[in-house]
Amino acid sequence: GAVVSQHPSRVICKSGTSVKIECRSLDFQATTMFWYRQFPKQSLMLMATSNEGSKATYEQGVEKDKFLINHASLTLSTLTVTSAHPEDSSFYICSVLAGASSYEQYFGPGTRLTVT
Amino acid sequence: AQSVTQLDSHVSVSEGTPVLLRCNYSSSYSPSLFWYVQHPNKGLQLLLKYTSAATLVKGINGFEAEFKKSETSFHLTKPSAHMSDAAEYFCVVSGTGGFKTIFGAGTRLFVKA
């Protein structure tokens, strides 16, 4: 399967600042990427679907102006958490759709965001 | 509409004994079903997948799952648990709605020595 990396793996930021998380598909051209968040001891919740060259599709209840997603190339999608608050502290995971006719996803290792 | 229910929030087994993690799904279409494993503070690793081929699916690390349409189930099994199997397991359904994926709530597997 594809190798997906995320950077940084951990980040601590102060309340009110913005932080960018990168998701890279290292050996696979990813037309579609997904962003999830996972609270401690909970399941993954889909935040948005990111399509290369177009605007992301956000799930209900996810603020698109707060969680900015950019998918400018087939190997890179970024999630920017703007004006972060402590309640944004979470584990953010990206994934890559395996192919146009496949529902399988390859997941990144996740990014632990802590907002102080 | 699709949904997935993992029937146990946690399962505890002794090393060397069988593992059964239960998953029921609901889908208006023929679904694709997956089991993923997540170790603490790690990403997800695919264990196995069902995509309308053989109903008994074999995965990595000795895991397998059987798709039972009549019971709308996709339970994960392993004949003999190993300490390294201790982790969180997610049952996932996909297949409609623009590849939207729905995760189950997860089952934490504990393996006792």
Side-chain angles (χ1 to χ4, degrees), chain B residues 28-49:
Chain B
S28 303
Y29 303 89
S30 296
S32 292
L33 294 159
F34 306 85
W35 276 99
Y36 288 90
V37 60
Q38 184 182 34
H39 289 91
N41 294 311
K42 300 289 186 182
L44 281 81
Q45 180 183 19
L46 178 68
L47 283 177
L48 48 81
K49 61 182 177 182

Side-chain angles (χ1 to χ4, degrees), chain B residues 14 18 24 36 43 58 60 68 75 81 85 90 106 110 112:
Chain B
S14 297
N24 286 111
Y36 288 90
K58 293 187 182 298
I60 62 171
K68 292 187 176 180
H75 301 334
D85 294 327
F90 293 100
F110 298 94
K112 299 175 290 186

Side-chain angles (χ1 to χ4, degrees), chain A residues 4-15:
Chain A
V4 181
S5 70
Q6 286 184 237
H7 178 78
S9 57
R10 291 177 176 271
V11 58
I12 301 172
C13 69
K14 292 187 177 181
S15 187

Side-chain angles (χ1 to χ4, degrees), chain A residues 73-84:
Chain A
S73 77
L74 289 172
T75 59
L76 174 64
S77 176
T78 60
L79 168 68
T80 302
V81 183
T82 63
S83 187

